[in-house]
Amino acid sequence: MSNSHVLLKDSLGKKVLLLGNEAIARGILEAGISVVTTYPGTPASEIGDSISEIAKDTGLYMEYSTNEIVATEVAAGAANCGIRALTAMKHVGLNVAADLVMTLAYAGVRGGYVIVTADDPECYSSQNEQDNRYYALLSSLPCLEPSNAQEAKDMTISAIEISEKLELPVLLRTTTRVSHTRGPVTYGRTIKPHLKGEFIRDVKRFVMVPAHSRPKHSVLLKKFEMAKEVSENSPYNKIVQNGKSMEIALISSSSAYNYAVEAADMLGLDVSILKLGMTHPLPEKMIGKFLKKHAKAIVVEELEPYLEMQIKAIAKDYAPNIEIYGKMSKPCFPREGEFSTRIVATGLAEITGKKVSIDFGKIDEKYAEVTKDLPRRPPILCAGCPHRASFYVIRKVAGERALYSTDIGCYALGIAPPLNVGDIMTCMGASIGTAEGISKATNANTFAIIGDSTFFHAGIPGLINAVYNNHKIVVAVLDNLATAMTGHQPHPGTGMTGMRSPTEKISIEKVAEGCGVRFVKVVDPFNVKEAETVLKEALRFDGPSVIVFRAPCTLIVVRERRRKGAELLACKINEKCTDCMACIKVLGCPALIVEEGKVGINEALCSACGLCVSVCPYKAIECVKIR
Amino acid sequence: MREFNIVLAGVGGQGILLAAEVLGTAAIKEGLNVQVSEIHGMAQRGGAVVSHVRIGEKAMSATILEGHANVLLGFEPIETLRNLKFASEKTTVIMNEERITPPELTAKQIKYPSMEEIMEKIHCFTKKVIVLDAARLAKKAGNILTENVVLIGALAAAEKLPLKNSSIIEALRELVPAKHLNVNVKAFKFGYETVKKGQD
Ligand SMILES: Cc1ncc(C[n+]2csc(CCOP(=O)(O)OP(=O)(O)O)c2C)c(N)n1
Ligand code: SF4
């Protein structure tokens, strides 16, 4: 591996293979963006993570903020001192930041400011598949939508320029396919970060009391008119192909554009194609003129009919007789899930009466036959995961009758059998408040299960509410000292910053005490006996209680051990094993295997956490050195 | 060449994403257009992982159309079956025989399907199948963790792959830590030679 980071390579003008998110990170360097903030979330995480890797070398400032709204506040604050800034988040992160963003749009920003929202059609790693282009519509902010890695980089730079021109934050909206596809990217020159800003006082602009907000709303609408001009002239909105017959117009953006081009090619369609890269505000005149020349328009977009709805409105003025196909009155494409060339080709075939040359039905049939009994392989908690130990203890003490309000993180995987911990889960931080409502309504033993990063992100107001309104719930904070699910980013409890500098470790137990919780205990989940005792006490306690189950994420522990060349341990089954399957039945650890009716341990996976040692009734498992 | 499509399929932890990145980097070195799709997030936790590598000027979208893989590179038998929809009779399936039992089977104490059953299913799609023991070859190269590179070696021996061995090795040099490079190059060669020998 060469010493220099791929993003810092001296490859001016050369093509480099970059992940869409890395391309955005490279765009950050080429745009001279100097403050980057984020809260991790798939599929956005690699933007912040790669900037964190190089921040010190480049002189820009990077932070993992407590949550998305704080991230937005920090970056927008800096932008309002004339600094170029960017915040990256996953789509649902923008829900958290929305309160700020909606009003920030009124005041605008002085330095360029880009908000990256990475949407997740198909919910590959999310709780919903909301289409954040609607936030552009809602806030009146400009929005750019790249369709590949090169555009992701280029649009990051353009977004900063548009932002500075209009003095408005700009949304850069990717999808999982754009963020997580590697493609060739040509490097341009980088600009040295510029971190010295100045806050010029302007109370009427920045203090959004009603008397100031009203005129600023008009200012926003004026800027919106200017943004329309930018969109009309944007190089990202272009007719890439004129059909021979000028009968059918295809309009598309983002990854859907790639599928549309491939599908049209596959069907041999004679179509004109308009590619939209700046999708808010839309280039009304350009679209209007384009529609006028055609008899039919087909809008190809993933998720919501965001373009279609607006294109219909444009058509009313420019081409009232044109037929518009998409998802609304002439539906040909699904409104949910990720697209593919197949889905788009099928829709286009339906509209045009062409035949798809591939017999997908036959492939499906054969595939269904071959995979009929194929076992699934969903993600599960790693072997040695401390969450497994916590769930084992919780389930053992509180049992089937207790109710478990869980939260988002690796520990959400606890819903799988045999652990079965998790009855309700909605969005980050919701576990605590939800548990309060459930406990009020049922009087059952009610748990809130929440991770450490999630606790800091959005758990604290819920906890204060439990104390304030005296909700008798048990809050189990599963503290693995990392934001594990999204790639082990640091958080306020880890003592490490995004600049890779040591910092104050914020203690979850002290926060809980500070919130007024009178029962706060810290346990090691692998110390099963002690954890059980504490949990029983908590259930007897009259009032909200907090138990911090603290043990580091096993992946981090194992990685550290390997890096240091320390000896590796694994568990081993001895001759006392009766193959009673107790360990297999209660733990669901992937390192525990059954071969020919005999229990065994996969040494490569086992990290010697010792949980199965505690569970085995015959003392038939022990930890041994393997290397 | 319009396009050359490779599906890489296996289980989290098998090094699939790195293998895909190596192929993508090699393509760039040859001046070819390439798209490498990945699904992240759940990869480390023992779940199914798949990556699509599309090489060639026609490759715009990141995902391969059903029935359109030139090669299905299976890191694990069950995951190979799970991705057969990308295969047709023209596809070469290169499969690692190492089985990783899905936890569902362990929990229900159901046996992993036999090699005969697996081959029979693959044969419903294509007769061009190469099976190899990547774990053995990786160990022989000096590190069990190089199974993924053994499989890239096997792929390199496949018909019409538009990548030169030298570009793949260059890509390895860029992407694997210097101290592991030799072992990886050996692993690549073992994979390559095994398939070449089998074809003669
Ligand atoms: C608003 C919002 N931001 C980000 C995410 C992405 N996300 C999913 S899980 C997770 C982190 C969980 O970390 P932690 O609570 O420490 O649990 P762990 O994964 O370490 O067990 C994040 C950030 C999200 N789902 N929602
Ligand atoms: S990554 Fe860490 S926290 Fe997540 S399942 Fe694995 S061991 Fe558990």
Side-chain angles (χ1 to χ4, degrees), chain A residues 99-116:
Chain A
D99 201 5
L100 185 88
V101 172
M102 290 303 298
T103 306
L104 181 66
Y106 283 26
V109 285
R110 278 201 171 118
Y113 180 40
V114 178
I115 300 172
V116 183

Side-chain angles (χ1 to χ4, degrees), chain A residues 39-42 68 90 92-93 96 127 387 408-411 428 450-455 457 478 480 482-486 491:
Chain A
Y39 181 74
T42 319
E68 289 86 353
K90 72 181 285 161
V92 288
V96 177
Q127 63 267 38
H387 297 334
I408 304 200
C410 283
Y411 52 97
M428 275 188 84
I450 187 165
D452 42 349
S453 192
T454 306
F455 178 81
H457 176 284
L478 305 194
N480 59 1
T483 316
M485 187 63 145
T486 48
H491 63 61

Side-chain angles (χ1 to χ4, degrees), chain A residues 161-419:
Chain A
E161 289 163 359
I162 295 170
S163 171
E164 275 177 8
K165 184 179 159 114
L166 302 172
E167 296 206 11
L168 276 183
V170 172
L171 298 174
L172 180 69
R173 185 249 189 187
T174 69
T175 60
T176 296
R177 270 310 152 199
V178 175
S179 278
H180 282 174
T181 295
R182 290 180 195 278
V185 175
T186 307
Y187 279 14
R189 262 178 229 294
T190 59
I191 298 178
K192 238 182 144 37
H194 171 77
L195 255 172
K196 229 176 154 42
E198 187 189 358
F199 185 79
I200 303 164
R201 202 170 271 144
D202 182 347
V203 173
K204 282 198 176 134
R205 173 166 178 186
F206 292 120
V207 183
M208 284 299 112
V209 292
H212 299 165
S213 303
R214 276 177 227 117
K216 287 298 170 230
H217 191 186
S218 312
V219 170
L220 173 60
L221 296 176
K222 278 195 200 100
K223 289 180 180 177
F224 184 68
E225 290 307 312
M226 286 164 68
K228 279 187 185 164
E229 280 314 302
V230 173
S231 187
E232 294 289 353
N233 297 310
S234 168
Y236 301 118
N237 294 333
K238 59 173 183 252
I239 296 164
V240 290
Q241 168 178 322
N242 272 314
K244 279 196 207 81
S245 65
M246 296 299 272
E247 161 86 10
I248 303 174
L250 275 189
I251 305 178
S252 190
S253 71
S254 187
S255 356
Y257 166 75
N258 300 324
Y259 305 129
V261 171
E262 288 187 352
D265 183 45
M266 191 171 124
L267 294 171
L269 291 184
D270 171 26
V271 287
S272 304
I273 302 178
L274 172 61
K275 177 180 191 299
L276 296 173
M278 181 161 178
T279 52
H280 196 254
L282 286 178
E284 215 175 286
K285 291 181 213 146
M286 180 188 212
I287 293 174
K289 281 190 213 147
F290 185 65
L291 292 176
K292 248 188 196 166
K293 294 185 200 149
H294 297 86
K296 281 183 189 159
I298 307 173
V299 186
V300 186
E301 60 187 320
E302 269 174 338
L303 299 177
E304 296 297 311
Y306 163 88
L307 297 174
E308 187 183 354
M309 190 181 68
Q310 298 180 74
I311 288 169
K312 283 196 148 176
I314 296 170
K316 187 160 186 307
D317 292 337
Y318 286 83
N321 295 324
I322 192 166
E323 290 179 66
I324 298 179
Y325 295 80
K327 317 192 181 200
M328 296 174 79
S329 52
K330 296 186 192 306
C332 325
F333 304 111
R335 196 166 158 171
E336 74 272 42
E338 187 183 34
F339 272 13
S340 62
T341 301
R342 170 180 174 172
I343 289 175
V344 177
T346 309
L348 292 180
E350 195 185 309
I351 300 165
T352 58
K354 292 255 179 184
K355 248 185 96 68
V356 184
S357 58
I358 307 160
D359 189 348
F360 288 121
K362 206 169 132 208
I363 298 178
D364 287 347
E365 214 173 282
K366 217 162 48 159
Y367 180 69
E369 179 60 34
V370 160
T371 53
K372 204 168 52 205
D373 303 313
L374 202 68
R376 295 167 321 129
R377 202 189 296 269
I380 49 166
L381 294 172
C382 301
C385 176
H387 297 334
R388 179 177 288 103
S390 303
F391 290 141
Y392 167 70
V393 170
I394 291 171
R395 192 73 196 184
K396 188 163 174 220
V397 172
E400 178 75 16
R401 306 256 298 273
L403 296 170
Y404 302 102
S405 168
T406 191
D407 222 305
I408 304 200
C410 283
Y411 52 97
L413 300 174
I415 57 170
L419 300 167

Side-chain angles (χ1 to χ4, degrees), chain A residues 310-615:
Chain A
Q310 298 180 74
I311 288 169
K312 283 196 148 176
I314 296 170
K316 187 160 186 307
D317 292 337
Y318 286 83
N321 295 324
I322 192 166
E323 290 179 66
I324 298 179
Y325 295 80
K327 317 192 181 200
M328 296 174 79
S329 52
K330 296 186 192 306
C332 325
F333 304 111
R335 196 166 158 171
E336 74 272 42
E338 187 183 34
F339 272 13
S340 62
T341 301
R342 170 180 174 172
I343 289 175
V344 177
T346 309
L348 292 180
E350 195 185 309
I351 300 165
T352 58
K354 292 255 179 184
K355 248 185 96 68
V356 184
S357 58
I358 307 160
D359 189 348
F360 288 121
K362 206 169 132 208
I363 298 178
D364 287 347
E365 214 173 282
K366 217 162 48 159
Y367 180 69
E369 179 60 34
V370 160
T371 53
K372 204 168 52 205
D373 303 313
L374 202 68
R376 295 167 321 129
R377 202 189 296 269
I380 49 166
L381 294 172
C382 301
C385 176
H387 297 334
R388 179 177 288 103
S390 303
F391 290 141
Y392 167 70
V393 170
I394 291 171
R395 192 73 196 184
K396 188 163 174 220
V397 172
E400 178 75 16
R401 306 256 298 273
L403 296 170
Y404 302 102
S405 168
T406 191
D407 222 305
I408 304 200
C410 283
Y411 52 97
L413 300 174
I415 57 170
L419 300 167
N420 300 316
V421 176
D423 299 312
I424 184 165
M425 185 205 94
T426 318
C427 71
M428 275 188 84
S431 57
I432 301 183
T434 306
E436 291 162 16
I438 290 176
S439 137
K440 189 77 353 304
T442 62
N443 236 347
N445 282 338
T446 311
F447 282 78
I449 314 277
I450 187 165
D452 42 349
S453 192
T454 306
F455 178 81
F456 289 113
H457 176 284
I460 298 167
L463 185 63
I464 293 176
N465 193 60
V467 176
Y468 172 43
N469 289 308
N470 194 25
H471 291 290
K472 190 184 168 313
I473 58 167
V474 181
V475 179
V477 185
L478 305 194
D479 181 7
N480 59 1
L481 305 161
T483 316
M485 187 63 145
T486 48
H488 301 96
Q489 294 84 358
H491 63 61
T494 59
M496 191 53 71
T497 69
M499 295 301 291
R500 316 261 158 136
S501 307
T503 183
E504 191 75 29
K505 270 190 202 165
I506 294 158
S507 146
I508 295 171
E509 50 277 27
K510 281 197 188 144
V511 170
E513 281 163 7
C515 292
V517 181
R518 284 180 294 113
F519 185 107
V520 181
K521 294 255 162 97
V522 182
V523 298
D524 173 357
F526 290 113
N527 188 343
V528 170
K529 283 262 146 51
E530 190 202 321
E532 282 181 30
T533 314
V534 170
L535 193 48
K536 282 179 195 154
E537 273 175 57
L539 282 171
R540 283 194 301 268
F541 185 74
D542 187 22
S545 55
V546 170
I547 306 176
V548 182
F549 290 83
R550 181 169 293 142
C553 163
T554 307
L555 284 193
I556 298 183
V557 174
V558 171
R559 208 177 290 160
E560 268 304 286
R561 274 192 215 151
R562 285 228 168 91
R563 200 179 56 81
K564 286 192 189 137
E567 58 189 26
L568 291 183
L569 301 172
C571 291
K572 224 181 125 156
I573 310 264
N574 65 31
E575 69 294 341
K576 290 185 213 144
C577 175
T578 63
D579 296 309
C580 72
M581 304 286 156
C583 54
I584 299 281
K585 279 186 200 143
V586 299
L587 297 181
C589 173
L592 288 166
I593 49 177
V594 184
E595 265 171 2
E596 312 285 327
K598 293 218 144 322
V599 178
I601 285 173
N602 178 340
E603 247 185 32
L605 288 180
C606 179
S607 67
C609 74
L611 182 62
C612 54
V613 177
S614 321
V615 167

Side-chain angles (χ1 to χ4, degrees), chain A residues 20-75:
Chain A
N21 281 342
E22 290 170 344
I24 293 174
R26 176 68 194 187
I28 287 172
L29 303 181
E30 291 184 15
I33 292 172
S34 310
V35 169
V36 177
T37 65
T38 191
Y39 181 74
T42 319
S45 303
E46 298 79 9
I47 303 168
D49 295 350
S50 38
I51 290 295
S52 171
E53 284 163 19
I54 57 174
K56 268 197 177 143
D57 296 331
T58 58
L60 60 70
Y61 173 74
M62 184 275 163
E63 73 170 46
Y64 291 106
S65 311
T66 316
N67 63 28
E68 289 86 353
I69 191 166
V70 176
T72 310
E73 288 156 1
V74 172

Side-chain angles (χ1 to χ4, degrees), chain B residues 6-55:
Chain B
I6 310 155
V7 174
L8 296 90
V11 179
Q14 288 193 299
I16 290 160
L17 299 186
L18 177 65
E21 190 179 355
V22 167
L23 296 173
T25 305
I28 296 267
K29 289 196 182 298
E30 306 227 359
L32 298 168
N33 175 45
V34 65
Q35 302 289 332
V36 182
S37 77
E38 309 178 351
I39 289 298
H40 291 214
M42 302 285 193
Q44 286 161 325
R45 287 144 201 93
V49 174
V50 58
S51 172
H52 291 188
V53 178
R54 305 192 62 206
I55 304 171

